[in-house]
Amino acid sequence: ARDLTREVLAGVAAVSSQSVAGAADGEDATELDGGGFFMLTARVATTGFTETSLETPGGAFAIFPPTLFKPAALQGSAPLPASAEIMLIQWVASANPAGGALGPIVTAQVRPLGSNASFPFSDPLPNPIQLQVPFETNVSETVNAFTGQGYAAITMYLDEGEWEWRP
């Protein structure tokens, strides 16, 4: 399952990357309806980056903060590329690539131009990416009457090196 999830996520990121390969920094985000997901990808300049927001037709919304490419937000001292790609995906619940998730998910990724791997960001980010998801759950309906346990919307990131979801 891990290999399949890894392949799906890498494949979608590669398609996203190709969608902005010929674009200029700051152009409108490209849109792609993949049937099981809707993806937006924007190409941005890393120097002088102010802020970018993306919103899917299904209502997923993300604000990528102006500090995203500042030294405090990035691990290591590798030179920063001139351009980056910012991606937002809203997945249909039946096409969810995250094993163990019980509903639809939203994926955000920031990576160097031409790459399908994320930047190595600090944990936690000094100013986090803000996500608004178009999903609601009535907690009273999802709580198990015997155990008192239920489900809640959470935000996590996939640590690809350790292959673990982290808060």
Side-chain angles (χ1 to χ4, degrees), residues 80-96:
L80 193 61
S83 298
E85 303 166 6
I86 295 178
M87 177 184 76
L88 179 67
I89 301 176
Q90 182 176 341
W91 298 84
V92 175
S94 61
N96 184 345

Side-chain angles (χ1 to χ4, degrees), residues 46-48 66-80 119-127:
T46 56
T47 302
T67 56
L68 202 55
F69 301 111
K70 303 291 184 199
L74 298 165
Q75 292 179 1
S77 58
L80 193 61
F119 278 106
F121 286 110
S122 298
D123 181 20
L125 279 170
N127 295 310

Side-chain angles (χ1 to χ4, degrees), residues 67-164:
T67 56
L68 202 55
F69 301 111
K70 303 291 184 199
L74 298 165
Q75 292 179 1
S77 58
L80 193 61
S83 298
E85 303 166 6
I86 295 178
M87 177 184 76
L88 179 67
I89 301 176
Q90 182 176 341
W91 298 84
V92 175
S94 61
N96 184 345
L102 298 175
I105 65 169
V106 172
T107 305
Q109 186 182 40
V110 182
R111 55 186 181 261
L113 181 65
S115 175
N116 64 358
S118 300
F119 278 106
F121 286 110
S122 298
D123 181 20
L125 279 170
N127 295 310
I129 296 168
Q130 297 176 36
L131 290 175
Q132 176 180 316
V133 295
F135 319 119
E136 290 185 16
T137 301
N138 185 341
V139 176
S140 64
E141 292 178 11
T142 61
V143 173
N144 182 307
F146 296 105
T147 65
Q149 296 179 343
Y151 302 104
I154 58 169
T155 302
M156 301 183 84
Y157 75 94
L158 178 62
D159 180 340
E160 294 179 34
E162 298 293 325
W163 199 255
E164 288 184 37

Side-chain angles (χ1 to χ4, degrees), residues 28-88:
D28 288 343
T30 60
E31 300 178 1
L32 176 67
D33 186 344
F37 61 87
F38 189 88
M39 174 172 51
L40 295 167
T41 308
R43 178 175 168 170
V44 298
T46 56
T47 302
F49 179 76
T50 54
E51 181 177 280
T52 293
S53 61
L54 297 174
E55 183 173 11
T56 69
F61 182 74
I63 299 173
F64 298 86
T67 56
L68 202 55
F69 301 111
K70 303 291 184 199
L74 298 165
Q75 292 179 1
S77 58
L80 193 61
S83 298
E85 303 166 6
I86 295 178
M87 177 184 76
L88 179 67

